[in-house]
Short mmCIF file of all heavy atoms in Angstrom, two decimals:
data_model
loop_
_atom_site.label_atom_id
_atom_site.label_comp_id
_atom_site.label_asym_id
_atom_site.label_seq_id
_atom_site.Cartn_x
_atom_site.Cartn_y
_atom_site.Cartn_z
N LEU A 1 -5.52 -0.09 5.48
CA LEU A 1 -4.75 -1.08 4.73
C LEU A 1 -5.28 -2.48 5.01
O LEU A 1 -4.69 -3.26 5.76
CB LEU A 1 -3.26 -0.97 5.07
CG LEU A 1 -2.57 0.32 4.63
CD1 LEU A 1 -1.09 0.28 4.93
CD2 LEU A 1 -2.79 0.57 3.13
N ASP A 2 -6.42 -2.79 4.38
CA ASP A 2 -6.94 -4.15 4.44
C ASP A 2 -6.06 -5.05 3.58
O ASP A 2 -5.08 -4.60 2.98
CB ASP A 2 -8.41 -4.19 3.99
CG ASP A 2 -8.62 -3.62 2.59
OD1 ASP A 2 -7.64 -3.63 1.79
OD2 ASP A 2 -9.73 -3.19 2.27
N ASN A 3 -6.40 -6.34 3.52
CA ASN A 3 -5.55 -7.28 2.78
C ASN A 3 -5.32 -6.84 1.34
O ASN A 3 -4.20 -6.92 0.81
CB ASN A 3 -6.17 -8.68 2.80
CG ASN A 3 -6.05 -9.34 4.17
OD1 ASN A 3 -5.36 -8.84 5.05
ND2 ASN A 3 -6.73 -10.45 4.36
N ASN A 4 -6.40 -6.38 0.67
CA ASN A 4 -6.28 -6.01 -0.73
C ASN A 4 -5.40 -4.77 -0.91
O ASN A 4 -4.54 -4.71 -1.80
CB ASN A 4 -7.66 -5.78 -1.34
CG ASN A 4 -7.68 -5.97 -2.84
OD1 ASN A 4 -7.43 -7.08 -3.33
ND2 ASN A 4 -7.97 -4.92 -3.58
N ASN A 5 -5.62 -3.76 -0.08
CA ASN A 5 -4.79 -2.56 -0.17
C ASN A 5 -3.33 -2.86 0.15
O ASN A 5 -2.42 -2.30 -0.46
CB ASN A 5 -5.32 -1.47 0.77
CG ASN A 5 -6.50 -0.71 0.18
OD1 ASN A 5 -6.70 -0.70 -1.03
ND2 ASN A 5 -7.29 -0.09 1.03
N ARG A 6 -3.10 -3.75 1.12
CA ARG A 6 -1.71 -4.10 1.44
C ARG A 6 -1.04 -4.78 0.26
O ARG A 6 0.15 -4.57 0.01
CB ARG A 6 -1.65 -5.00 2.68
CG ARG A 6 -1.99 -4.28 3.98
CD ARG A 6 -1.35 -4.93 5.20
NE ARG A 6 -1.37 -6.36 5.17
CZ ARG A 6 -2.40 -7.13 5.51
NH1 ARG A 6 -3.53 -6.56 5.89
NH2 ARG A 6 -2.31 -8.44 5.47
N ARG A 7 -1.78 -5.58 -0.48
CA ARG A 7 -1.20 -6.23 -1.66
C ARG A 7 -0.84 -5.19 -2.73
O ARG A 7 0.23 -5.26 -3.34
CB ARG A 7 -2.17 -7.27 -2.23
CG ARG A 7 -2.30 -8.50 -1.33
CD ARG A 7 -3.27 -9.54 -1.87
NE ARG A 7 -3.36 -10.65 -0.93
CZ ARG A 7 -4.47 -11.04 -0.30
NH1 ARG A 7 -5.61 -10.42 -0.54
NH2 ARG A 7 -4.45 -12.05 0.54
N LEU A 8 -1.73 -4.25 -2.96
CA LEU A 8 -1.45 -3.20 -3.93
C LEU A 8 -0.20 -2.40 -3.54
O LEU A 8 0.67 -2.12 -4.36
CB LEU A 8 -2.65 -2.25 -4.06
CG LEU A 8 -3.90 -2.81 -4.75
CD1 LEU A 8 -5.08 -1.86 -4.55
CD2 LEU A 8 -3.65 -3.05 -6.23
N VAL A 9 -0.11 -2.06 -2.25
CA VAL A 9 1.03 -1.28 -1.77
C VAL A 9 2.31 -2.11 -1.84
O VAL A 9 3.36 -1.61 -2.28
CB VAL A 9 0.78 -0.77 -0.34
CG1 VAL A 9 2.03 -0.13 0.24
CG2 VAL A 9 -0.38 0.23 -0.34
N ALA A 10 2.25 -3.37 -1.41
CA ALA A 10 3.43 -4.22 -1.44
C ALA A 10 3.97 -4.38 -2.85
O ALA A 10 5.19 -4.32 -3.08
CB ALA A 10 3.10 -5.59 -0.84
N GLN A 11 3.07 -4.55 -3.81
CA GLN A 11 3.50 -4.70 -5.20
C GLN A 11 4.16 -3.42 -5.72
O GLN A 11 5.16 -3.46 -6.43
CB GLN A 11 2.30 -5.06 -6.07
CG GLN A 11 1.80 -6.49 -5.90
CD GLN A 11 2.74 -7.50 -6.53
OE1 GLN A 11 3.48 -7.19 -7.45
NE2 GLN A 11 2.70 -8.73 -6.05
N GLY A 12 3.60 -2.28 -5.35
CA GLY A 12 4.19 -1.01 -5.78
C GLY A 12 5.55 -0.77 -5.16
O GLY A 12 6.50 -0.36 -5.84
N LEU A 13 5.68 -1.03 -3.85
CA LEU A 13 6.96 -0.84 -3.18
C LEU A 13 8.03 -1.76 -3.74
O LEU A 13 9.19 -1.37 -3.88
CB LEU A 13 6.80 -1.08 -1.67
CG LEU A 13 6.06 0.00 -0.88
CD1 LEU A 13 5.90 -0.43 0.57
CD2 LEU A 13 6.78 1.34 -0.96
N ARG A 14 7.64 -2.99 -4.07
CA ARG A 14 8.60 -3.95 -4.62
C ARG A 14 9.19 -3.42 -5.92
O ARG A 14 10.39 -3.53 -6.17
CB ARG A 14 7.90 -5.29 -4.84
CG ARG A 14 8.84 -6.40 -5.33
CD ARG A 14 8.13 -7.73 -5.29
NE ARG A 14 7.72 -8.04 -3.92
CZ ARG A 14 6.63 -8.73 -3.61
NH1 ARG A 14 5.84 -9.18 -4.56
NH2 ARG A 14 6.34 -8.98 -2.35
N ARG A 15 8.34 -2.82 -6.75
CA ARG A 15 8.83 -2.28 -8.02
C ARG A 15 9.70 -1.04 -7.80
O ARG A 15 10.71 -0.86 -8.50
CB ARG A 15 7.64 -1.98 -8.94
CG ARG A 15 7.06 -3.24 -9.54
CD ARG A 15 5.67 -3.07 -10.13
NE ARG A 15 5.28 -4.29 -10.82
CZ ARG A 15 4.85 -5.39 -10.20
NH1 ARG A 15 4.75 -5.41 -8.87
NH2 ARG A 15 4.52 -6.46 -10.88
N ILE A 16 9.33 -0.21 -6.85
CA ILE A 16 10.15 0.98 -6.55
C ILE A 16 11.54 0.55 -6.09
O ILE A 16 12.56 1.08 -6.55
CB ILE A 16 9.46 1.86 -5.49
CG1 ILE A 16 8.19 2.50 -6.07
CG2 ILE A 16 10.42 2.94 -4.99
CD1 ILE A 16 7.34 3.22 -5.05
N ARG A 17 11.59 -0.42 -5.19
CA ARG A 17 12.89 -0.87 -4.67
C ARG A 17 13.75 -1.48 -5.77
O ARG A 17 14.98 -1.43 -5.70
CB ARG A 17 12.67 -1.90 -3.56
CG ARG A 17 12.07 -1.32 -2.28
CD ARG A 17 11.63 -2.41 -1.34
NE ARG A 17 10.86 -1.90 -0.22
CZ ARG A 17 9.97 -2.61 0.48
NH1 ARG A 17 9.75 -3.88 0.15
NH2 ARG A 17 9.33 -2.08 1.48
N ALA A 18 13.09 -2.05 -6.77
CA ALA A 18 13.83 -2.65 -7.89
C ALA A 18 14.18 -1.62 -8.97
O ALA A 18 14.75 -1.98 -10.00
CB ALA A 18 13.00 -3.78 -8.50
N GLY A 19 13.85 -0.35 -8.73
CA GLY A 19 14.17 0.70 -9.69
C GLY A 19 13.16 0.82 -10.82
O GLY A 19 13.39 1.56 -11.78
N GLN A 20 12.02 0.12 -10.71
CA GLN A 20 11.00 0.14 -11.76
C GLN A 20 9.88 1.11 -11.36
O GLN A 20 8.85 0.70 -10.83
CB GLN A 20 10.44 -1.27 -11.97
CG GLN A 20 11.51 -2.29 -12.35
CD GLN A 20 11.03 -3.71 -12.18
OE1 GLN A 20 9.88 -3.97 -11.80
NE2 GLN A 20 11.91 -4.67 -12.43
N MET A 21 10.13 2.39 -11.61
CA MET A 21 9.16 3.40 -11.20
C MET A 21 9.15 4.54 -12.22
O MET A 21 10.05 4.65 -13.05
CB MET A 21 9.52 3.94 -9.81
CG MET A 21 10.74 4.85 -9.80
SD MET A 21 11.51 5.06 -8.19
CE MET A 21 12.74 3.75 -8.26
N GLN A 22 8.13 5.38 -12.13
CA GLN A 22 8.04 6.53 -13.01
C GLN A 22 9.16 7.52 -12.67
O GLN A 22 9.63 7.59 -11.51
CB GLN A 22 6.67 7.20 -12.85
CG GLN A 22 5.52 6.42 -13.45
CD GLN A 22 5.17 5.16 -12.67
OE1 GLN A 22 5.41 5.09 -11.46
NE2 GLN A 22 4.61 4.18 -13.34
N ALA A 23 9.56 8.29 -13.65
CA ALA A 23 10.65 9.26 -13.45
C ALA A 23 10.31 10.24 -12.33
O ALA A 23 11.19 10.64 -11.55
CB ALA A 23 10.91 10.02 -14.75
N GLY A 24 9.04 10.61 -12.22
CA GLY A 24 8.63 11.56 -11.19
C GLY A 24 8.76 10.99 -9.79
O GLY A 24 9.13 11.71 -8.85
N ILE A 25 8.43 9.73 -9.62
CA ILE A 25 8.57 9.11 -8.30
C ILE A 25 10.05 9.04 -7.92
O ILE A 25 10.43 9.35 -6.78
CB ILE A 25 7.90 7.73 -8.27
CG1 ILE A 25 6.37 7.89 -8.33
CG2 ILE A 25 8.32 6.94 -7.04
CD1 ILE A 25 5.60 6.60 -8.20
N ARG A 26 10.89 8.67 -8.86
CA ARG A 26 12.33 8.64 -8.57
C ARG A 26 12.83 10.04 -8.19
O ARG A 26 13.60 10.20 -7.24
CB ARG A 26 13.10 8.13 -9.79
CG ARG A 26 14.61 8.00 -9.54
CD ARG A 26 15.34 7.55 -10.78
NE ARG A 26 14.96 6.22 -11.20
CZ ARG A 26 15.47 5.10 -10.66
NH1 ARG A 26 16.33 5.18 -9.67
NH2 ARG A 26 15.08 3.92 -11.11
N ALA A 27 12.37 11.05 -8.92
CA ALA A 27 12.81 12.42 -8.65
C ALA A 27 12.32 12.89 -7.28
O ALA A 27 13.02 13.63 -6.58
CB ALA A 27 12.29 13.35 -9.74
N LEU A 28 11.12 12.48 -6.89
CA LEU A 28 10.60 12.86 -5.57
C LEU A 28 11.40 12.21 -4.45
O LEU A 28 11.64 12.83 -3.40
CB LEU A 28 9.12 12.48 -5.46
CG LEU A 28 8.15 13.38 -6.25
CD1 LEU A 28 6.78 12.73 -6.36
CD2 LEU A 28 8.05 14.75 -5.61
N PHE A 29 11.84 10.96 -4.65
CA PHE A 29 12.71 10.33 -3.66
C PHE A 29 13.99 11.14 -3.52
O PHE A 29 14.46 11.40 -2.40
CB PHE A 29 13.04 8.89 -4.07
CG PHE A 29 12.09 7.86 -3.51
CD1 PHE A 29 11.03 7.39 -4.26
CD2 PHE A 29 12.27 7.36 -2.23
CE1 PHE A 29 10.15 6.46 -3.75
CE2 PHE A 29 11.40 6.42 -1.70
CZ PHE A 29 10.34 5.96 -2.46
N ASP A 30 14.57 11.54 -4.64
CA ASP A 30 15.81 12.32 -4.61
C ASP A 30 15.59 13.67 -3.91
O ASP A 30 16.40 14.09 -3.07
CB ASP A 30 16.34 12.55 -6.03
CG ASP A 30 16.82 11.26 -6.69
OD1 ASP A 30 17.10 10.28 -5.95
OD2 ASP A 30 16.92 11.23 -7.93
N ALA A 31 14.50 14.35 -4.25
CA ALA A 31 14.22 15.67 -3.67
C ALA A 31 14.00 15.57 -2.16
O ALA A 31 14.34 16.49 -1.42
CB ALA A 31 13.00 16.29 -4.34
N ALA A 32 13.45 14.43 -1.72
CA ALA A 32 13.17 14.24 -0.29
C ALA A 32 14.38 13.69 0.46
O ALA A 32 14.33 13.56 1.69
CB ALA A 32 11.98 13.31 -0.12
N GLY A 33 15.44 13.36 -0.27
CA GLY A 33 16.61 12.79 0.38
C GLY A 33 16.38 11.38 0.90
O GLY A 33 17.01 10.96 1.87
N ARG A 34 15.51 10.64 0.23
CA ARG A 34 15.20 9.26 0.64
C ARG A 34 15.74 8.29 -0.40
O ARG A 34 15.94 8.65 -1.57
CB ARG A 34 13.68 9.06 0.79
CG ARG A 34 12.99 10.10 1.63
CD ARG A 34 13.37 10.03 3.10
NE ARG A 34 12.94 8.78 3.72
CZ ARG A 34 13.10 8.51 5.01
NH1 ARG A 34 13.70 9.38 5.80
NH2 ARG A 34 12.67 7.36 5.50
N ARG A 35 15.96 7.04 0.01
CA ARG A 35 16.54 6.03 -0.87
C ARG A 35 15.43 5.15 -1.45
O ARG A 35 14.77 4.42 -0.72
CB ARG A 35 17.54 5.17 -0.09
CG ARG A 35 18.76 5.95 0.38
CD ARG A 35 19.61 5.16 1.37
NE ARG A 35 20.01 3.87 0.83
CZ ARG A 35 19.73 2.70 1.41
NH1 ARG A 35 19.02 2.65 2.52
NH2 ARG A 35 20.15 1.57 0.86
N ALA A 36 15.24 5.23 -2.76
CA ALA A 36 14.18 4.45 -3.40
C ALA A 36 14.41 2.96 -3.24
O ALA A 36 13.45 2.18 -3.13
CB ALA A 36 14.09 4.81 -4.89
N GLU A 37 15.67 2.52 -3.22
CA GLU A 37 15.96 1.09 -3.10
C GLU A 37 15.56 0.53 -1.74
O GLU A 37 15.49 -0.69 -1.56
CB GLU A 37 17.43 0.80 -3.38
CG GLU A 37 18.41 1.44 -2.43
CD GLU A 37 18.86 2.83 -2.90
OE1 GLU A 37 18.10 3.47 -3.66
OE2 GLU A 37 19.97 3.25 -2.49
N ALA A 38 15.30 1.40 -0.77
CA ALA A 38 14.85 0.96 0.56
C ALA A 38 13.47 1.56 0.87
O ALA A 38 13.14 1.83 2.02
CB ALA A 38 15.86 1.36 1.62
N ALA A 39 12.66 1.77 -0.15
CA ALA A 39 11.37 2.46 0.00
C ALA A 39 10.47 1.78 1.02
O ALA A 39 10.38 0.55 1.07
CB ALA A 39 10.66 2.53 -1.36
N THR A 40 9.78 2.60 1.81
CA THR A 40 8.85 2.10 2.81
C THR A 40 7.53 2.86 2.70
O THR A 40 7.43 3.88 2.01
CB THR A 40 9.40 2.31 4.23
OG1 THR A 40 9.47 3.74 4.49
CG2 THR A 40 10.78 1.69 4.40
N THR A 41 6.52 2.37 3.40
CA THR A 41 5.26 3.11 3.45
C THR A 41 5.47 4.47 4.11
O THR A 41 4.78 5.44 3.78
CB THR A 41 4.19 2.32 4.22
OG1 THR A 41 4.73 1.89 5.48
CG2 THR A 41 3.73 1.11 3.45
N PHE A 42 6.43 4.56 5.04
CA PHE A 42 6.73 5.85 5.67
C PHE A 42 7.16 6.87 4.62
O PHE A 42 6.76 8.03 4.66
CB PHE A 42 7.83 5.67 6.72
CG PHE A 42 8.18 6.94 7.45
CD1 PHE A 42 7.50 7.30 8.61
CD2 PHE A 42 9.16 7.79 6.98
CE1 PHE A 42 7.80 8.48 9.28
CE2 PHE A 42 9.48 8.97 7.64
CZ PHE A 42 8.80 9.31 8.80
N ASP A 43 7.98 6.44 3.65
CA ASP A 43 8.41 7.35 2.59
C ASP A 43 7.22 7.88 1.80
O ASP A 43 7.14 9.06 1.48
CB ASP A 43 9.37 6.63 1.63
CG ASP A 43 10.69 6.27 2.29
OD1 ASP A 43 11.20 7.07 3.10
OD2 ASP A 43 11.20 5.17 2.02
#
């Protein structure tokens, strides 16, 4: 996770937390029992 990769990841996580994600990603959060609004790199 160099600076550029961290920016890409941060931007993606920000959208996931805001509910702006593909239906499949939302469904995977639900299937895993994780909260998309608090998404982390660990998730």
